[in-house]
Amino acid sequence: RQEKELAMIVLGLTGSVGMGKSTTAKIFAEQGVPVNDADAVVHKLYQGKAVPLVEAAFPGTTDGTKVDRMKLGQTVLGNRESLALLESIIHPLVAQERQQFLQNAKESGAEVVVLDIPLLFEVSGQGFCDYVVVVTAPADVQRERVLQRGGMTVDKFEAILSKQIPDSEKRARADFIVHTEFGIEKARSQVIDVLKSVKSTGKHNELKKREFI
């Protein structure tokens, strides 16, 4: 690539529940791409930096060393003010971790990195990214996958979906789409094609939406 395009490329990876995003993130990692998992970052914060802040805002939701996610969930569930307060605590910490990840990746010479953000469009996370990769599968496949999870019910599944932008809209806003209904080898092939495409194009997104199926 030309010198002006040598800057590190940031891919945003997202997808609705049950679409295969976590598996796709692992495939990117297998290809040597550093991956920042937003859910894993929050989990880490709930056992570290966020604990005293959460305890101060929501007394009794931690044991002093980690956040009790069940208690915290019960405290903020259905309460917009409490949820907004929690987000005001967590989002800046997540942003700090993301910036540190990007800095570390840049210093290590990474050509491409992935920000794995489940609610990327919902939180306008696409602004951090050069390209957005949406992971998808047919609705019946998605439903079957999710309902196989322990403790999942139809009501819970539908409640989760109600908080997420519809898959069709995500696909319409994507730069790349990875289909996971054809199995892991086909998904791996699509990921490799995505990486080839962005590396050849660089940071400046002149591509039309691409589906490698």
Side-chain angles (χ1 to χ4, degrees):
R1 303 204 306 271
Q2 295 179 0
E3 189 173 347
K4 69 176 182 178
E5 296 177 329
L6 286 176
M8 186 175 71
I9 297 166
V10 180
L11 299 180
L13 180 68
T14 195
S16 299
V17 62
M19 292 302 197
K21 180 185 61 61
S22 296
T23 299
T24 304
K26 289 177 183 175
I27 296 171
F28 274 106
E30 286 172 6
Q31 299 301 313
V33 178
V35 176
N36 180 254
D37 180 339
D39 279 349
V41 168
V42 172
H43 187 74
K44 173 184 164 188
L45 290 169
Y46 279 173
Q47 297 180 36
K49 289 182 186 177
V51 175
L53 300 173
V54 171
E55 180 62 30
F58 306 101
T61 59
T62 83
D63 64 4
T65 62
K66 65 180 182 297
V67 173
D68 185 323
R69 298 183 74 147
M70 185 170 290
K71 285 183 181 178
L72 181 61
Q74 291 169 347
T75 300
V76 303
L77 187 65
N79 187 322
R80 284 187 178 182
E81 288 184 5
S82 293
L83 185 58
L85 176 57
L86 177 61
E87 289 176 346
S88 74
I89 294 168
I90 299 301
H91 286 181
L93 295 176
V94 171
Q96 287 175 16
E97 295 285 332
R98 181 177 60 245
Q99 285 306 118
Q100 188 62 56
F101 164 80
L102 292 171
Q103 185 63 34
N104 292 346
K106 191 172 184 179
E107 290 175 358
S108 72
E111 195 172 0
V112 181
V113 297
V114 166
L115 298 180
D116 176 352
I117 306 176
L119 299 177
L120 184 140
F121 290 121
E122 289 84 348
V123 300
S124 300
Q126 67 269 30
F128 310 128
C129 309
D130 297 304
Y131 304 96
V132 172
V133 181
V134 167
V135 183
T136 190
D140 58 330
V141 174
Q142 175 194 27
R143 184 182 183 87
E144 182 180 353
R145 287 173 178 171
V146 176
L147 292 179
Q148 286 176 348
R149 297 179 181 180
M152 183 57 66
T153 65
V154 172
D155 286 345
K156 283 184 182 178
F157 173 49
E158 291 178 351
I160 293 169
L161 284 184
S162 72
K163 296 174 184 175
Q164 299 184 339
I165 289 174
D167 177 57
S168 58
E169 184 176 339
K170 288 178 181 173
R171 285 186 279 113
R173 296 169 69 179
D175 297 299
F176 298 94
I177 299 173
V178 173
H179 296 260
T180 62
E181 69 268 30
F182 304 112
I184 194 164
E185 290 306 321
K186 191 69 175 175
R188 181 175 288 112
S189 174
Q190 294 171 79
V191 166
I192 290 170
D193 285 337
V194 168
L195 290 172
K196 285 179 182 175
S197 186
V198 298
K199 287 177 182 180
S200 67
T201 305
K203 284 183 74 68
H204 305 291
N205 185 0
E206 300 297 335
L207 295 176
K208 293 182 180 178
K209 188 179 356 284
R210 301 291 295 277
E211 297 184 64
F212 301 105
I213 58 173

